[in-house]
Amino acid sequence: MTPLLLLCVFAAAFNCISASAEICTNTLLPGAKGDQGEIGEEGDQGKLGKNGPPGSTGASGETGLQGEVGQTGKMGPFGDKGNKGDTGMEGPTGLKGKPGTTCDCGRYRKVVGQLDVNVGKLRNAVKFVKNVLLGLKETEERYYLLVKEPKRFREASMNCKLRGGILAMPKTSNTNHLMADSVSQAGLTRVYIGVLAQSKDTNGTSGYVYADSSPLQGFAAWSQEEELNAKVSPATNSTSCVELLSTGTWSHVECEATMFFICEFPKSRRRGGGGGGRGGTPAPTPS
């Protein structure tokens, strides 16, 4: 180190030591720790931080007191039927009954036997009235009445409605055979039945339906010649009707023709077999 540089360092150190109130800015060592300052005022509350992670599950608390009984809930569904239980033990024998009175069974047998005879005669009489006097034929569900009044188809249909029925509709072979026998036994050859041509459809053709507007399904008794004309052509009058021959076959006929006809009536459904029950169908009115 040169004498000039050494002299400068010594002069700077001497000036720093000799300064009274001035702060030395060229000190090389940190000063001593100052005294603790006064506590400042409490600052404003900071913003809420994010929720921290959930803590661990705490210990279970003590069991509380039992609460009051709640309201009764709705009845649940019925469970499945359980298995049949074992047969119980046989009960004790009952007390001996009192002796019965002497029965004159012979007299009662005679009365019951006479009642059976009277019932049989009454049934035969009713059958005679229905089949012979009224000209009724019947199945398990319906009565059939041959009306010997020559009428057009529309008039015949209205006449059956006034009697409480409808033009007869042979929807099964058994019913068709029953009606044909009625026509043959009356010495007739043909009658109106409840079958007619319906209105023309979009194709210009017309099919035949029953008088209750139900289609011919499952049964039809057209003859071989009429089978080819079962569908009415567009040029044919849409009021074409059907007649039942005594042979049991069907044939087309103009609805303006006058002839006899057959009406059908549903049997009354009355409880207990008594007459005059509600909802019963009135008996057919004979011609």
Side-chain angles (χ1 to χ4, degrees):
M1 184 177 298
T2 61
L4 182 58
L5 180 58
L6 182 60
L7 180 60
C8 290
V9 171
F10 180 79
F14 178 78
N15 290 333
C16 184
I17 294 172
S18 60
S20 60
E22 295 180 1
I23 298 175
C24 182
T25 57
N26 296 325
T27 181
L28 299 177
L29 298 175
K33 183 177 182 181
D35 297 334
Q36 183 176 359
E38 296 179 358
I39 299 175
E41 296 180 357
E42 184 177 357
D44 297 335
Q45 185 177 358
K47 297 181 180 179
L48 295 176
K50 297 182 179 179
N51 293 332
S56 58
T57 304
S60 301
E62 298 180 357
T63 304
L65 299 176
Q66 184 175 359
E68 298 179 356
V69 178
Q71 297 180 354
T72 303
K74 296 182 179 179
M75 181 180 294
F78 292 100
D80 298 334
K81 186 176 180 181
N83 298 327
K84 185 176 180 181
D86 299 333
T87 304
M89 299 177 63
E90 186 176 356
T93 305
L95 300 177
K96 186 176 182 181
K98 296 180 180 181
T101 58
T102 303
C103 175
D104 187 5
C105 298
R107 184 178 64 179
Y108 289 116
R109 288 195 185 98
K110 292 181 180 180
V111 173
V112 173
Q114 187 60 40
L115 288 175
D116 290 339
V117 173
N118 293 339
V119 170
K121 291 181 179 180
L122 182 60
R123 289 176 178 171
N124 292 335
V126 171
K127 186 175 181 181
F128 175 80
V129 171
K130 290 192 299 182
N131 296 341
V132 179
L133 298 183
L134 299 181
L136 290 176
K137 299 293 182 180
E138 63 178 315
T139 61
E140 294 183 357
E141 298 180 353
R142 298 181 181 277
Y143 292 109
Y144 296 91
L145 173 65
L146 175 60
V147 182
K148 297 180 180 180
E149 297 178 10
K151 294 183 180 296
R152 298 182 179 91
F153 182 86
R154 185 180 297 274
E155 296 171 347
S157 178
M158 182 61 64
N159 187 279
C160 289
K161 290 182 179 180
L162 293 176
R163 296 171 183 267
I166 191 173
L167 270 175
M169 299 174 291
K171 295 186 177 182
T172 64
S173 59
N174 292 336
T175 304
N176 191 76
H177 181 71
L178 178 70
M179 294 168 58
D181 286 347
S182 177
V183 174
S184 178
Q185 292 172 5
L188 304 176
T189 57
R190 61 177 187 168
V191 293
Y192 271 132
I193 57 175
V195 181
L196 72 161
Q198 65 179 354
S199 300
K200 296 180 181 179
D201 55 20
T202 56
N203 296 328
T205 59
S206 301
Y208 281 88
V209 296
Y210 287 110
D212 60 358
S213 300
S214 60
L216 299 181
Q217 294 181 349
F219 176 76
W222 302 110
S223 62
Q224 294 182 354
E225 295 179 358
E226 299 290 345
E227 182 70 23
L228 300 176
N229 299 324
K231 288 289 185 178
V232 181
S233 61
T236 305
N237 192 340
S238 61
T239 59
S240 176
C241 298
V242 176
E243 61 183 359
L244 171 67
L245 305 180
S246 59
T247 57
T249 56
W250 299 357
S251 178
H252 301 95
V253 65
E254 290 295 328
C255 298
E256 295 301 316
T258 57
M259 66 179 70
F260 298 156
F261 53 95
I262 298 179
C263 301
E264 71 174 45
F265 310 87
K267 288 188 175 180
S268 301
R269 296 181 179 179
R270 297 169 178 169
R271 296 182 179 179
R278 292 184 179 180
T281 302
T285 305
S287 58

